[in-house]
């Protein structure tokens, strides 16, 4: 490489730094006249290497790093480990941190070195582009939720329509990832936004609803239980939103399913004259089993459904007692499941102040806008206890 650079004005020295990942690293150090700028040097080096027949014959591709950086780094606290990306000297970097963000400055190496970069190759320090020094991170704003509240307030004043619902839903989905830090005002604002998007569900693609809107609801379930109790009524509104979404989400195929960390849903098209029953099964998974959800167009659970341990089976005579005008309105059946009874616990607590817990997932089926009674055959529901030990003790 030094031979290639010998035609340039000044003195150039190339030093081998070693193998890093899949790349061979070299350092180019030069002494040039005062009137030659750094940008000019980089441009000349690039042109030399880019037109070098020798490098071309050897199939060597050159990538120039013209700036100095602070290397990737981590900060470990009692609440987690935070990863700082490679950052240019003289700049600040911001990363997500709990409810807010943390910042850190990358300074030049002549500042008092709080974290001296190490050189694992035993070569000189100038061999590395990572000569920057990380300053102490500022994590003082990590638990400041004012930014969350303001972001939600900013959305609530926006007129949400078909043209911007996807953008709004993406923003809300991102904010909802921090719902474990929500205050009562935050969850109330988030539910307000969900309710404003509801009238648009039937007019936007199912993909937007599944990837953003329902995902937000799923994340919002992570709001601390005491906050949901304080924000009285938001838990019922969230359940109503889930039900309304399943009634309106477009169905391109015969069925649709989705599974999240707290929520599972399924929707199936129904032909009233050929309905042969339906079964919906779900497993949220654990360290030993895979999370999965499924719907079948028959009432008898097969081994795959039974293996989930949690399913609801609707008989083929489900619509038998309905009047013809009622049967004519049926087009779908909706299913949903919650990983635990958190939302229902909050509802019960608000009504009775009782503290109870259901030792299973929640699973339900709904025929939109139809009330069905006097079944000829039963609806079968199977639950697998969440806490197997206590379930056995109760028996």
């Amino acid at each position: 490489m030094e031979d290639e650079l010998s035609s340039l004005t000044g003195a150039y020295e190339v030093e081998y730094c070693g193998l890093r990942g899949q790349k061979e690293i070299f350092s180019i150090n030069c002494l040039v006249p005062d009137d030659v700028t750094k940008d000019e040097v980089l441009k000349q080096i690039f042109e030399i290497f880019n037109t070098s027949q020798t490098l071309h014959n050897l199939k060597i591709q050159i990538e120039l790093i013209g700036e100095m950086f602070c290397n990737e780094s981590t900060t470990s606290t009692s609440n987690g480990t935070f990863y700082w990306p490679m950052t240019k000297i003289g700049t600040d970097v911001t990363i997500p941190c709990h409810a807010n963000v943390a910042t850190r400055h990358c300074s030049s190496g002549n500042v008092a070195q709080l974290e001296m970069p190490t050189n694992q190759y035993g070569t000189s320090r100038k061999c590395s582009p990572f000569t920057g020094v990380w300053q102490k991170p500022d994590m003082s704003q990590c638990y400041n939720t004012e930014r969350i509240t303001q972001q939600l307030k900013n959305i609530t004043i926006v007129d949400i329509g078909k043209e911007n619902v996807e953008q709004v839903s993406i923003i809300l989905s991102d904010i909802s990832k921090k719902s474990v830090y929500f205050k009562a005002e935050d969850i109330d604002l988030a539910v307000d936004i969900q309710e404003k998007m509801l009238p648009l569900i039937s007019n936007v693609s199912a993909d937007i609803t599944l990837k953003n809107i329902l995902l937000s609801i799923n994340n919002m379930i992570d709001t601390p239980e005491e906050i949901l109790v304080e924000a009285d009524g938001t838990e019922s509104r969230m359940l109503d939103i889930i039900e309304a979404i399943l009634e309106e989400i477009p169905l391109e195929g015969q069925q649709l399913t989705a599974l999240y960390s707290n929520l599972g849903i399924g929707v199936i098209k129904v032909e009233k004259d050929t309905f042969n029953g339906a079964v919906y099964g779900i497993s949220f998974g654990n360290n030993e089993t895979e999370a999965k959800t499924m719907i079948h167009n028959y009432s008898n659970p097969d081994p795959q459904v039974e293996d989930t341990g949690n399913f609801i089976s609707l008989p083929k005579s489900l619509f038998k007692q309905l009047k013809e005008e009622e049967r004519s309105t049926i087009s779908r059946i909706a299913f949903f499941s919650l990983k635990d009874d958190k939302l229902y616990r909050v509802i019960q607590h608000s009504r009775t102040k009782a503290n109870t817990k259901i030792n299973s997932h929640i699973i339900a089926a709904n025929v939109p806008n139809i009330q069905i009674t006097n079944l000829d055959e039963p609806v079968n529901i199977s639950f697998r206890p969440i806490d197997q030990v206590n379930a056995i003790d109760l028996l």
Side-chain angles (χ1 to χ4, degrees):
M1 287 188 187
E2 287 183 355
D3 289 341
E4 298 287 340
L5 298 172
S6 61
S7 61
L8 298 179
T9 301
Y12 288 79
E13 176 187 327
V14 179
E15 182 177 353
Y16 178 64
C17 299
L19 179 67
R20 300 189 184 182
Q22 300 297 316
K23 296 181 179 181
E24 299 278 358
I25 306 296
F26 295 84
S27 172
I28 301 174
N29 303 285
C30 62
L31 184 63
V32 297
D34 292 340
D35 60 346
V36 179
T37 67
K38 177 181 176 181
D39 288 340
E40 289 173 335
V41 170
L42 288 172
K43 181 180 179 181
Q44 291 171 357
I45 293 175
F46 176 80
E47 290 176 349
I48 287 290
F49 287 155
N50 195 43
T51 58
S52 169
Q53 189 61 45
T54 301
L55 295 177
H56 177 74
N57 293 339
L58 293 173
K59 297 182 179 180
I60 295 175
Q61 293 182 327
I62 299 294
E63 177 185 354
L64 291 180
I65 301 176
E67 302 287 350
M68 294 296 103
F69 298 86
C70 288
N71 202 355
E72 295 175 345
S73 177
T74 60
T75 298
S76 295
T77 71
S78 59
N79 293 319
T81 300
F82 301 90
Y83 298 87
W84 303 93
M86 184 174 69
T87 301
K88 181 181 174 181
I89 283 178
T91 61
D92 294 326
V93 63
T94 300
I95 63 171
C97 175
H98 300 301
N100 203 341
V101 295
T103 58
R104 201 175 191 186
H105 183 72
C106 173
S107 60
S108 60
N110 56 8
V111 175
Q113 296 185 5
L114 301 179
E115 293 184 18
M116 175 68 75
T118 58
N119 192 320
Q120 58 181 311
Y121 299 101
T123 56
S124 65
R125 194 168 182 273
K126 66 183 179 181
C127 197
S128 172
F130 304 115
T131 59
V133 178
W134 282 116
Q135 299 300 295
K136 184 178 180 180
D138 179 4
M139 308 184 78
S140 61
Q141 297 300 306
C142 286
Y143 292 98
N144 185 343
T145 61
E146 292 179 3
R147 185 167 179 263
I148 290 176
T149 306
Q150 189 57 55
Q151 286 178 311
L152 291 168
K153 285 182 176 179
N154 291 343
I155 300 176
T156 58
I157 62 176
V158 173
D159 290 329
I160 304 176
K162 187 176 180 180
E163 70 285 348
N164 67 346
V165 64
E166 181 174 14
Q167 180 184 5
V168 170
S169 66
I170 290 173
I171 296 172
L172 180 60
S173 176
D174 187 57
I175 297 172
S176 70
K177 294 174 184 177
K178 299 179 180 179
S179 60
V180 291
Y181 305 107
F182 275 10
K183 292 183 169 57
E185 181 182 13
D186 301 326
I187 185 63
D188 190 54
L189 288 168
V191 173
D192 284 346
I193 297 166
Q194 288 280 2
E195 289 172 338
K196 288 178 68 175
M197 291 190 290
L198 265 185
L200 301 167
I201 295 296
S202 61
N203 295 316
V204 299
S205 73
D207 200 46
I208 293 174
T209 301
L210 295 176
K211 289 185 177 180
N212 303 327
I213 299 175
L214 271 172
L215 178 58
S216 297
I217 286 286
N218 172 79
N219 294 340
M220 288 157 59
I221 295 173
D222 287 327
T223 302
E225 190 167 335
E226 63 272 17
I227 298 298
L228 290 173
V229 171
E230 182 182 349
D232 187 30
T234 54
E235 71 292 331
S236 296
R237 292 163 64 196
M238 289 167 66
L239 290 169
D240 290 342
I241 290 169
I242 295 171
E243 182 176 333
I245 287 174
L246 299 186
E247 292 179 6
E248 298 296 334
I249 188 171
L251 279 177
E252 296 180 359
Q254 282 298 116
Q255 60 177 251
L256 177 153
T257 61
L259 181 58
Y260 309 94
S261 58
N262 297 310
L263 169 69
I265 63 98
V267 184
I268 187 171
K269 283 185 179 179
V270 172
E271 297 292 340
K272 62 182 185 301
D273 296 325
T274 58
F275 181 68
N276 196 38
V279 59
Y280 171 75
I282 187 169
S283 171
F284 285 94
N286 53 39
N287 293 334
E288 299 177 353
T289 61
E290 180 184 2
K292 55 187 174 182
T293 184
M294 63 201 72
I295 301 178
H296 294 308
N297 291 306
Y298 45 80
S299 57
N300 295 323
D302 61 18
Q304 188 179 18
V305 173
E306 290 182 336
D307 187 54
T308 66
N310 307 282
F311 61 84
I312 182 168
S313 174
L314 307 180
K316 61 182 180 180
S317 60
L318 185 67
F319 307 131
K320 184 177 180 181
Q321 301 297 334
L322 296 180
K323 297 177 181 178
E324 181 57 34
E325 57 266 28
E326 292 176 316
R327 290 162 59 92
S328 65
T329 64
I330 297 172
S331 62
R332 66 175 63 192
I333 297 175
F335 303 88
F336 84 92
S337 180
L338 296 172
K339 189 173 183 179
D340 63 34
D341 65 332
K342 181 179 183 177
L343 297 181
Y344 293 97
R345 285 201 308 270
V346 174
I347 293 173
Q348 184 182 44
H349 182 272
S350 67
R351 294 174 179 173
T352 66
K353 305 303 179 185
N355 291 307
T356 59
K357 185 177 179 65
I358 299 174
N359 188 28
S360 71
H361 303 319
I362 305 296
I363 192 166
N366 175 45
V367 181
N369 305 314
I370 294 292
Q371 184 176 8
I372 299 176
T373 58
N374 301 321
L375 293 175
D376 288 352
E377 300 173 88
V379 171
N380 294 314
I381 304 177
S382 171
F383 296 108
R384 178 170 292 166
I386 297 173
D387 187 341
Q388 297 281 351
V389 175
N390 287 336
I392 293 173
D393 289 343
L394 289 173
L395 294 174

